[in-house]
């Protein structure tokens, strides 16, 4: 009996058939890839809620209870567009022309509110504080954490939003300020971008949307190189009012719009370097 094994070399026809099958499989796989990936939520960037209201902040500023906006302008600081408001406190008798807070030297001065909102999905807090410091040629010291809480609403189920701001003294070009600044978002606020990053990650994983933010910097002119401690209460009160206003009028719904107003009623402008 012959022990010769049959010839197992592939024939020309079988090789061609395998090539055709492989090419056909590759064509089907390539055709299916776009449809496969388009079904994943990561195929499109997360949505930015409250986008219209955030853009309105940049254009109009924010009207604050208890304060009147003497002037509002848009200006670039470090290449980024900020809303700059000149605020005066409203007297308890309802007189909107009340004198602004007096500094240690007895010189009346307004309070300046600077806001830079997030206006597109990829916009992230980065170097806003360096932009301000560099554009104004500031020297700073007396940095300290200023923490406060703000209720989300007036209901019994209201939660308290915790804010951790940077409170410090800044001076340059003949003017000294007591400054309070932080990044505000719907569930909290901090002067550190890292705190926003983790809140943003949680929002993306749980709701597949970005955590909207507004950079806030409040400047209170004070006597040259004077102590900022006497002005802490004023800035904390203003900070609470602002965060509460953002929670109730900006971070409430995607269709929220800022009320009108906030534009200049007077001819002079705040002097800030861009």
């Amino acid at each position: 009996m012959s022990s010769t094994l049959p010839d197992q070399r592939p024939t020309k026809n079988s090789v061609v058939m395998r090539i055709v099958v492989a090419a056909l499989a590759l064509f089907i796989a390539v055709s299916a890839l776009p449809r496969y990936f388009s079904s994943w939520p990561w195929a499109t960037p997360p949505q930015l809620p409250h986008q219209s209201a955030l853009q309105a902040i940049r254009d109009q500023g924010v009207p604050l209870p208890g304060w009147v906006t003497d002037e509002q302008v848009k200006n670039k600081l470090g290449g980024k567009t900020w809303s700059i408001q000149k605020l005066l406190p409203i007297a308890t008798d309802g007189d909107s022309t009340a004198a602004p807070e007096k500094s240690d030297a007895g010189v009346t001065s307004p309070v300046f509110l600077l806001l830079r909102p997030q206006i597109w999905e990829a916009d992230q807090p980065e170097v806003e504080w360096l932009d301000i410091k560099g554009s104004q040629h500031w020297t700073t010291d007396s940095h300290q954490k200023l923490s406060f809480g703000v209720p989300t609403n007036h209901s019994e189920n209201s939660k308290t939003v915790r804010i951790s701001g940077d409170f410090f003294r800044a001076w340059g070009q003949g003017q000294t300020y007591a400054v309070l600044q932080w990044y505000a978002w719907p569930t909290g606020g901090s002067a550190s971008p890292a705190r926003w990053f983790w809140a943003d990650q949680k929002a993306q994983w749980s709701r597949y949307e970005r955590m909207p933010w507004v950079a806030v910097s409040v400047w209170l002119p004070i006597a040259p190189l004077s102590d900022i401690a006497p002005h802490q209460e004023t800035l904390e009160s203003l900070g609470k009012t602002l965060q509460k206003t953002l929670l109730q009028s900006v971070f409430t719904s995607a269709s929220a719009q800022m009320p009108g107003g906030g534009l200049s009623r007077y001819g002079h402008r705040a002097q800030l370097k861009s």
Side-chain angles (χ1 to χ4, degrees), residues 56-72:
I57 291 177
R58 182 189 59 183
D59 298 332
Q60 303 174 10
V62 175
L64 296 179
W67 296 82
V68 60
T69 297
D70 184 15
E71 182 175 14
Q72 188 271 345

Side-chain angles (χ1 to χ4, degrees), residues 50-89:
H50 324 299
Q51 190 167 15
S52 297
L54 291 167
Q55 291 175 345
I57 291 177
R58 182 189 59 183
D59 298 332
Q60 303 174 10
V62 175
L64 296 179
W67 296 82
V68 60
T69 297
D70 184 15
E71 182 175 14
Q72 188 271 345
V73 297
K74 290 193 297 182
N75 199 2
K76 283 187 176 294
L77 302 177
K80 304 295 180 60
T81 301
W82 290 72
S83 165
I84 303 171
Q85 290 173 250
K86 180 180 174 183
L87 301 175
L88 302 177

Side-chain angles (χ1 to χ4, degrees), residues 8-86:
Q8 296 182 358
R9 290 177 299 177
T11 65
K12 182 177 181 180
N13 288 340
S14 66
V15 171
V16 172
M17 182 62 66
R18 290 179 184 180
I19 294 175
V20 171
V21 172
L24 185 60
L26 179 62
F27 174 78
I28 294 174
V30 171
S31 301
L33 280 176
R35 180 173 298 180
Y36 173 76
F37 283 112
S38 65
S39 63
W40 283 65
W42 290 271
T44 57
Q47 296 297 310
L48 173 63
H50 324 299
Q51 190 167 15
S52 297
L54 291 167
Q55 291 175 345
I57 291 177
R58 182 189 59 183
D59 298 332
Q60 303 174 10
V62 175
L64 296 179
W67 296 82
V68 60
T69 297
D70 184 15
E71 182 175 14
Q72 188 271 345
V73 297
K74 290 193 297 182
N75 199 2
K76 283 187 176 294
L77 302 177
K80 304 295 180 60
T81 301
W82 290 72
S83 165
I84 303 171
Q85 290 173 250
K86 180 180 174 183

